[in-house]
Amino acid sequence: MPGELAMPAAPPQRYHVRARVVAHEPLGGKYRRMVLEAPQVAAHARPGQFIHVDCSQGWVPFWRRPFSLSGRSGDCISFIYAVVGPGTRNLAKRRLAEEVDFLGPLGNGFHLHPTASPLIFVGGGYGVTPFFWLLEQAAGRAVHLIHGARSASELLRAAPNGAQVMYTTDDGSYGERGLVTDALRRRLSSPSARQAAVYACGPRPMLRAVALLAREFGVPCQVAMEELMACGVGGCFGCAVKVRGAYRLVCRDGPVFAADEVDWDEPA
Amino acid sequence: MSQHDATTDRAPGRAPAAPAKGGSAPSLEPSPALDLGVQLGGLRLKNPVLTASGTCGYGEVYGDLIDYNRLGGLMLKGTYLEPKLGNPPPRIVETPAGMLNSIGLQGVGVEAFLRDKLPALRRLDTAIILNINGSTVDEFAELAARLNGVAGLHALEVNISCPNVKVGGMEFGVDPRAAREVTEAVCRASELPVIVKLTPNVTDITVIARAVEDGGAAALSVINTLRAMSIDVRTRRPKLASITGGLSGPAIRPVAVRMVWETARAVRIPIIGMGGITTAEDALEFLIAGAGAVAVGTASFHNPSAPLAVLDGIEAYLREQGMTRLRDIVGSLETALYRSTKMEEK
């Protein structure tokens, strides 16, 4: 049912570390995956949380950059990023065995509904990255991933083998032509989806549309939000979103919020 | 961690500024204990490094990432009598060597601060300074009075310089009469040392500084953010929902150093220098210009340990200079010598 809160059960365990790059590989298009050796962080991290990475050279760019975690393996965590600006261009130059300075794990993470079925994950553009890890956590349950982008080159086709994935593109260059919400509406319309739960990450207009669909069909929905962020730890009060009439911080109170608590009609 | 490129901090042939007694010759004797203590009116700090208001919340933000007990003090987030919603997003913009913000003093209000935030701060061995705000002189005074007799609070910082609120804020800080009136009202109402935070958005900061000194302030915080603006040329919209905001970070540091220097020559009360400090060398500029203490703000967003690195670097500098007391460096700027060395360099 709606109203399922996405808040952490325990106080956050977070660290400021310099971690060794143990893998750094292109994933096609503008996407790259980085794997960092960070045992403490790996021990406490969960899907939907993020790390705040120093991508600067000589204070440029001035802010760290937040990235959703996309996986964990032993002492290592991984994240996938798109090379789109000065920070990620710097990051793309980091080589194996170099160190990366980051804060994490940050934020609250997704909380999978204990009984809902199927679990429907909706990832828009690079918003799909946290779901690769959430798919692992949901192993053994009925899960569908809907992943959309403007065109084929912006899709991130890195889902683990066996995952049930539906791709959509605005221009029809791969998968189904249309928006992720078209595919989601069809999926939710099926009688087999009455006990579904929806988890979404992507641009705010997409999240809003997903939230409205979840409300229409009466299924619980969590959304991972993104806002411009300076400190990543609740210090600057920059990444505000209005939730139940008050400004909450994406970095500290989110990034995952219960979709029906977000004030979607507020400007952002 | 990112650092500035190595800079020539001392011109050739330039003597160390104001060497301590018996000072600068290298010695094999164990180095004497450094006296880093700072007296700001009635407020004693164990060392000169504080966190700047609005960058460390109510002290809970970085408490698990750095040891606040090592710092001279925490200047906490701006607080009103009542809770404050804050401004709509987008609230921040990344700019060259800095950022704009227009948070609008979102805060929990004084009662929630006292109930939920202050108890944890009482366990810290560092000065706790609350930044107080009001829309009217009476609100400032009422808030100051509410904070009398509160255990664990060591000073007030009166914010007459926020550029991002519609009523109050910077209005008080750009008019010497209003600035003095707020200062007097808070000093009358409060039992705590009163620090007043000045805005750089004035033609002559010394006029405001003197008015605030006359009003009874124990110390000054110099400076708050510079009013600024940034535009998305694709949409032709301002990048902040409130159109203008306050610029902070290394971009404003030379302006802040200049204003600290001007203010230090105009008033007798001590100054807490702030504005773009990221390293110890930055902080030393403020101290040499005349600040008795410094606050690290926006740099913490990039590196939570920045205040500690600043403190360690100040200590290292004093030892290197053969100095034993922090106060020997405060206001030690040598302008005449600067002109002559500059000529030699040419």
Side-chain angles (χ1 to χ4, degrees), chain B residues 51-134:
Chain B
T51 61
S53 179
T55 62
C56 64
Y58 302 99
E60 77 282 39
V61 173
Y62 295 104
D64 56 332
L65 296 171
I66 77 167
D67 182 5
Y68 277 143
N69 294 310
R70 289 193 54 209
L71 296 179
L74 306 182
M75 301 175 100
L76 305 178
K77 189 162 174 48
T79 299
Y80 283 85
L81 281 166
E82 302 296 329
K84 195 101 164 28
L85 185 63
N87 290 342
R91 292 175 163 189
I92 53 175
V93 183
E94 191 178 42
T95 59
M99 61 181 284
L100 307 187
N101 87 79
S102 180
I103 308 305
L105 293 169
Q106 176 177 344
V108 297
V110 69
E111 298 307 329
F113 166 74
L114 295 174
R115 187 183 62 236
D116 305 333
K117 310 289 183 180
L118 190 59
L121 295 169
R122 289 195 185 108
R123 292 195 287 273
L124 294 176
D125 174 27
T126 191
I128 301 300
I129 302 164
L130 185 64
N131 180 288
I132 64 166
N133 293 265

Side-chain angles (χ1 to χ4, degrees), chain A residues 14-16 18 54 56 59 61-65 101 103 228-231 233-238 240 242 245-247, chain B residues 1-2 54 61-62 64-65 77 85-89 91-94 98-99 103 106 250 278 298 301-304:
Chain A
R14 44 183 205 177
Y15 305 92
H16 183 186
R18 296 182 66 93
D54 181 358
S56 69
W59 291 93
F62 189 63
W63 291 340
R64 290 169 180 262
R65 295 291 187 258
D101 177 310
L103 299 162
L228 284 175
M229 195 177 280
C231 72
V233 293
C236 70
F237 282 67
K242 210 173 228 183
Y247 287 116
Chain B
M1 187 45 53
S2 315
V61 173
Y62 295 104
D64 56 332
L65 296 171
K77 189 162 174 48
L85 185 63
N87 290 342
R91 292 175 163 189
I92 53 175
V93 183
E94 191 178 42
M99 61 181 284
I103 308 305
Q106 176 177 344
T278 58
T298 302
F301 298 159
H302 184 97
N303 175 15

Side-chain angles (χ1 to χ4, degrees), chain B residues 132 137-149 156 158 181-194 215-216:
Chain B
I132 64 166
V137 173
D138 288 346
E139 275 182 34
F140 273 104
E142 190 184 340
L143 179 50
R146 176 67 186 88
L147 296 165
N148 283 334
L156 304 181
V158 182
E181 200 185 337
V182 174
T183 307
E184 281 175 346
V186 173
C187 288
R188 247 195 323 268
S190 181
E191 298 163 356
L192 292 168
V194 172

Side-chain angles (χ1 to χ4, degrees), chain B residues 286-297:
Chain B
F286 285 82
L287 295 168
I288 293 167
V294 292
V296 179

